[in-house]
Amino acid sequence: MGNSENRRSDLKRVAVVGCGNVGAASAYALLLTGTADELILLDKDKDRLKGEVADLQHSVPVIRPTKISEGAWESAAQADIVVIAAGAGSVPGESRLDLLERNVKVTREIVDDLMKHGFAGIILMTTNPVDILAQAAQESSGLPVSHVISSGTVLDTARLRSMIGDKLGIDARSVHAYIIGEHGDSEIAAWSSATVGGVPLKSLADGAGIDLEAILDDVRKAAPRIVKTKGYTSVAIASCVARICEAILRDEKTIMPVSTLVKGQYGIDEIYLSLPCVVGRNGVERVMTVPLDDEELEGIKASAYVLGTTLEKLRSLSDDKNGKE
């Protein structure tokens, strides 16, 4: 993994591109967990970059030895994993599709800079919409599909497990349930395969009078509620970023619902969305086909349709603008 020239193979390097709320929190989470030996930060705002690097460096003596540096594309290309947390903000009067097009452009520029310097590691996309941008990154990079992933519904799944654990009075880590599909409003919960301690979640929920669909609705609305009160989300997604990086760098072969290119599962093809995947040193090493009931199958196909339609509109918009140039 990573460019083999001028690098020690035993060092675990992670680069974070974009030092906004999510990028900075992700770097801190990576430092806290000791996942990487070296953290390389990049941002167009050089003053903010200097500040974030210094702040992180000052915490090293009370956490663990980690090299932290301001990076350039040459050093980022040496990383095992590049976390992309950069993106354009919305401007007044701009449509969601126009903003998406601008973020696709930002993503492609980042990927192009990495590839020019021989990057051969794994790209982890965290900028929203993560599914579309991960697909754009993979197409631009030419890297294997397994090496370009997004955080997908890892965060949504964590929120789901947290809420269910709270309702049942059980450690959330003992809840085995997944949110799959788009990281967005069309995501679904795979209730039919969800368990707690080997007991089907549906039966436990029915016995406790818990409305699972209401919990799913709360999961979908979690981010807007946090943004309304706090102004942004950062800590939970940063924790997910650190956990995904840990699974990759330690070759854990753990199962996580990251977003990858789906190739035929559930009749869906050539669209990035989240399914439980085996995550290890080579990124997504296998995609698991979770049993779904008829309603869930309809839901995952509808989620894929939403993503596919957005992708088609984006490509059509791009073709129209290119035709006018």
Side-chain angles (χ1 to χ4, degrees), residues 1-294:
M1 291 173 58
N3 190 327
S4 60
E5 297 180 5
N6 302 318
R7 70 189 301 276
R8 281 177 50 194
S9 60
D10 59 326
L11 286 180
K12 296 174 181 176
R13 292 183 172 94
V14 178
V16 179
V17 180
C19 292
N21 295 320
V22 172
S26 295
Y28 184 51
L30 286 160
L31 177 61
L32 282 175
T33 57
T35 299
D37 300 304
E38 182 176 351
L39 291 174
I40 304 161
L41 275 61
L42 293 86
D43 196 283
K44 285 186 175 181
D45 186 336
K46 299 307 178 185
D47 287 337
R48 174 158 191 164
L49 176 61
K50 287 181 182 295
E52 293 293 356
V53 168
D55 206 12
L56 288 167
Q57 286 175 332
H58 298 163
S59 66
V60 168
V62 293
I63 299 178
R64 64 188 76 237
T66 305
K67 181 180 179 182
I68 301 168
S69 62
E70 297 176 40
W73 295 116
E74 292 87 349
S75 55
Q78 302 293 318
D80 298 290
I81 303 169
V82 171
V83 177
I84 298 180
S90 60
V91 297
E94 183 178 45
S95 72
R96 183 174 177 272
L97 194 60
D98 284 333
L99 175 60
L100 173 55
E101 186 184 33
R102 288 204 296 130
N103 273 325
V104 167
K105 183 180 179 181
V106 170
T107 295
R108 287 176 174 158
E109 288 173 351
I110 291 169
V111 169
D112 287 348
D113 283 327
L114 286 170
M115 300 313 295
K116 285 176 186 175
H117 292 90
F119 179 68
I122 290 172
I123 291 174
L124 173 57
M125 176 63 63
T126 67
T127 304
N128 282 317
V130 291
D131 304 292
I132 299 292
L133 294 183
Q135 188 152 356
Q138 193 280 320
E139 291 172 354
S140 294
S141 69
L143 290 168
V145 167
S146 61
H147 282 204
V148 183
I149 65 180
S150 89
S151 52
T153 55
V154 174
L155 173 55
D156 311 84
T157 295
R159 287 171 172 156
L160 180 74
R161 294 170 67 195
S162 174
M163 293 176 189
I164 291 173
D166 184 58
K167 290 285 187 182
L168 291 174
I170 292 172
D171 182 355
R173 293 172 299 177
S174 297
V175 177
H176 300 287
Y178 293 107
I179 296 288
I180 58 176
E182 175 199 19
H183 172 59
D185 291 340
S186 72
E187 65 191 15
I188 69 164
W191 298 127
S192 60
S193 62
T195 62
V196 178
V199 179
L201 174 59
K202 279 187 172 182
S203 64
L204 279 177
D206 289 343
I210 296 171
D211 185 346
L212 292 179
E213 289 304 317
I215 292 178
L216 176 58
D217 187 56
D218 283 343
V219 169
R220 289 170 174 162
K221 294 177 179 176
R225 285 173 177 164
I226 294 170
V227 170
K228 184 177 180 179
T229 53
K230 179 183 172 181
Y232 56 89
T233 62
S234 59
V235 176
I237 181 58
S239 301
C240 294
V241 167
R243 183 68 192 94
I244 295 167
C245 289
E246 183 179 45
I248 293 169
L249 293 174
R250 295 181 179 175
D251 196 22
E252 291 184 2
K253 317 290 188 191
T254 195
I255 296 176
M256 311 177 84
V258 295
S259 182
T260 188
L261 191 68
V262 177
K263 297 183 177 180
Q265 290 89 349
Y266 311 111
I268 301 166
D269 207 24
E270 300 302 318
I271 291 289
Y272 260 75
L273 54 74
S274 291
L275 292 173
C277 299
V278 178
V279 179
R281 188 70 177 174
N282 293 310
V284 170
E285 300 189 356
R286 189 174 7 143
V287 180
M288 309 297 288
T289 306
V290 180
L292 301 177
D293 63 23
D294 290 343

